Amino acid sequence: MDMDKNLPQNAYKRALIWLGGGHFINDIYTGVLNPIMPFIAAKIGISMAIATIILTISHIFSSLLQPLFGFFADNNVKRSFIFWGLILSSIFIPMSAMASKPLILVLFIIIGSIGSSLFHPQALGFASRFAKYSDAGKAMAVFVAMGTLGYSCGPIVSSAITQFLGMHRMPLMTVIGCIWALLMFSFVPKLSNSDQPVNKIDFKTAFKRILSNRKLNILNLIAMMKTMISSACFILLPFLWKSMGYKPFYIGMALFAFIFAGGIGSLISSNVEKRIGSANVFYISMISTLPLMILFVLTYRPHPTLSLVIFVIMGFVTMMATPVTMLMAQNVLPEYKSIISGFINGFSWGVVAIVMSMLGFVAENFGITNVLLFVAVIPAICSVLVKELFKD
């Protein structure tokens, strides 16, 4: 079915539901490895430092390539990236838990992560096009929240399978992704000829305009700052909790609660933005993480339950500004929606992953909590960028 402006509004809403569901399921797979990586590392005999590098490889391939795939998606509005992206993620990420050697683990992670990198820019571009026929801010908030909620479910699903069924049962997760990909390909409308770009997008021109745009650069930096917090927590805290004797399911539940709260923050961000303004959403998201991280470090041993509550609140405020960032960035250069989505949703993660690839080595020498405190300081300092963002 081609997308036609004369279709009833419900048709666009149904399309957003299918895309949101695909985003939810795809991001389940992106969140499965973090809570069980300490146990995979123990099984195949690698250190925390090496395991951290492997996790960052996952972030690099699922994120850094997104602007490139976004370029192809903006030039070709067929739905193949959404379909094959979800298929690759659902097959190879669960298979990585069965790897017996580090090289096989890395290979499976790379292929599965490329699937996620394929899926996101085109899905976000499609969602933005469908959302323009309704409340764009609310629609984008729901779409982003679905991905965040899916990411939150990944840790709880993988940790439950690991603890109660065994890691060798992880490929059971493949079924739901493959089935949804087939259904989504059948029911998400194609774009009509009128939605095709009139002029093919030139690669050099597009990237030059995006990378030289001051407002987009600030939004990319803000996205990176927030990504640093969630990445550091997701990579390092499972090792901290495992060293304290916690089981996989507890670790998975903690990460689930963190990201689930972030999904709720994303979901309500549109309403919060209307009440207090975009700038204040950014300030709250960037500054409050530091005092929350200090409280977490002070309480995680003597008061573990309280520290978990603080950790969950941190997830809520960290991700609250994500939909606001995405929609604002897409509105700067709307002709490059998929490419910009790739930068905000993917490239920022990839750059942070490269920077943090040595995180495990630093944490082994200076302590996990010291690294987390240092990481939390950076967004608070960089909150001065928000004033520059709204200078115009």
Side-chain angles (χ1 to χ4, degrees):
M1 176 171 60
D2 286 344
M3 181 175 150
D4 188 324
K5 294 181 177 67
N6 295 320
L7 287 173
Q9 193 174 31
N10 285 341
Y12 307 127
K13 290 181 179 179
R14 285 195 298 269
L16 287 168
I17 290 171
W18 282 106
L19 286 168
H23 197 196
F24 174 82
I25 293 170
N26 181 83
D27 283 20
I28 287 177
Y29 297 109
T30 62
V32 301
L33 289 177
N34 295 86
I36 63 173
M37 183 55 79
F39 304 91
I40 295 175
K43 183 184 74 170
I44 62 178
I46 57 176
S47 67
M48 180 179 74
I50 299 300
T52 299
I53 291 176
I54 292 174
L55 280 175
T56 56
I57 288 173
S58 169
H59 290 305
I60 289 169
F61 279 90
S62 66
S63 307
L64 206 58
L65 296 175
Q66 285 195 31
L68 178 62
F69 291 140
F71 164 75
F72 291 116
D74 276 335
N75 267 318
N76 179 10
V77 294
K78 293 182 179 179
R79 302 160 299 165
S80 52
F81 286 7
I82 299 172
F83 176 75
W84 286 109
L86 184 52
I87 290 287
L88 290 176
S89 296
S90 62
I91 292 174
F92 286 95
I93 295 296
M95 283 179 62
S96 63
M98 299 178 63
S100 57
K101 297 179 181 179
L103 187 60
I104 296 174
L105 174 64
V106 170
L107 179 63
F108 285 167
I109 285 176
I110 287 175
I111 298 173
S113 299
I114 287 174
S116 182
S117 199
L118 274 170
F119 175 86
H120 278 101
Q122 191 171 64
L124 282 159
F126 267 56
S128 181
R129 286 184 171 96
F130 289 124
K132 69 184 179 182
Y133 300 104
S134 58
D135 185 337
K138 184 177 179 180
M140 186 56 68
V142 171
F143 181 81
V144 171
M146 289 297 288
T148 305
L149 294 174
Y151 191 47
S152 74
C153 289
I156 194 171
V157 172
S158 63
S159 60
I161 292 174
T162 298
Q163 184 165 329
F164 302 116
L165 299 177
M167 276 195 288
H168 65 285
R169 302 287 189 188
M170 284 289 292
L172 291 172
M173 294 183 63
T174 296
V175 177
I176 186 173
C178 290
I179 291 175
W180 194 271
L182 291 168
L183 293 171
M184 185 172 57
F185 196 69
S186 299
F187 293 108
V188 172
K190 298 177 183 178
L191 295 178
S192 66
N193 292 332
S194 62
D195 289 283
Q196 299 273 358
V198 176
N199 298 309
K200 289 290 185 180
I201 295 171
D202 179 71
F203 182 89
K204 183 178 179 180
T205 301
F207 277 73
K208 184 178 180 180
R209 288 188 66 193
I210 291 170
L211 293 173
S212 62
N213 188 285
R214 171 177 158 273
K215 193 169 185 177
L216 283 177
N217 286 332
I218 294 173
L219 288 166
N220 264 316
L221 284 171
I222 289 173
M224 289 178 193
M225 296 305 103
K226 294 189 279 90
T227 298
M228 286 181 65
I229 297 296
S230 54
S231 294
C233 289
F234 254 54
I235 290 172
L236 294 179
L237 283 178
F239 288 94
L240 177 67
W241 285 324
K242 183 177 183 293
S243 70
M244 296 171 65
Y246 291 113
K247 298 292 184 183
F249 190 65
Y250 174 88
I251 297 172
M253 283 293 294
L255 297 184
F256 161 77
F258 178 89
I259 301 297
F260 184 84
I264 299 301
S266 297
L267 194 61
I268 69 168
S269 65
S270 178
N271 292 330
V272 175
E273 181 190 13
K274 291 174 182 177
R275 290 176 179 271
I276 66 174
S278 303
N280 288 326
V281 172
F282 282 120
Y283 282 126
I284 292 171
S285 183
M286 299 178 73
I287 296 174
S288 61
T289 307
L290 178 58
L292 288 169
M293 187 67 80
I294 293 171
L295 289 173
F296 173 81
V297 170
L298 292 174
T299 58
Y300 79 96
R301 285 193 184 278
H303 307 288
T305 302
L306 177 59
S307 74
L308 181 61
V309 172
I310 294 167
F311 180 62
V312 172
I313 296 172
M314 201 187 320
F316 177 86
V317 297
T318 299
M319 299 178 199
M320 187 170 62
T322 302
V324 180
T325 308
M326 179 64 71
L327 194 61
M328 187 178 293
Q330 287 185 332
N331 287 336
V332 174
L333 295 172
E335 63 270 35
Y336 303 132
K337 287 182 184 294
S338 295
I339 305 176
I340 290 171
S341 299
F343 271 99
I344 299 296
N345 191 63
F347 186 77
S348 61
W349 282 82
V351 170
V352 170
I354 292 173
V355 172
M356 301 180 82
S357 60
M358 295 293 107
L359 202 64
F361 292 99
V362 177
E364 282 185 341
N365 288 285
F366 295 97
I368 290 174
T369 54
N370 289 330
V371 172
L372 291 174
L373 285 171
F374 175 76
V375 169
V377 169
I378 299 174
I381 294 174
C382 291
S383 62
V384 296
L385 291 171
V386 176
K387 185 177 179 180
E388 292 296 314
L389 186 63
F390 291 91
K391 183 176 286 187
D392 297 335

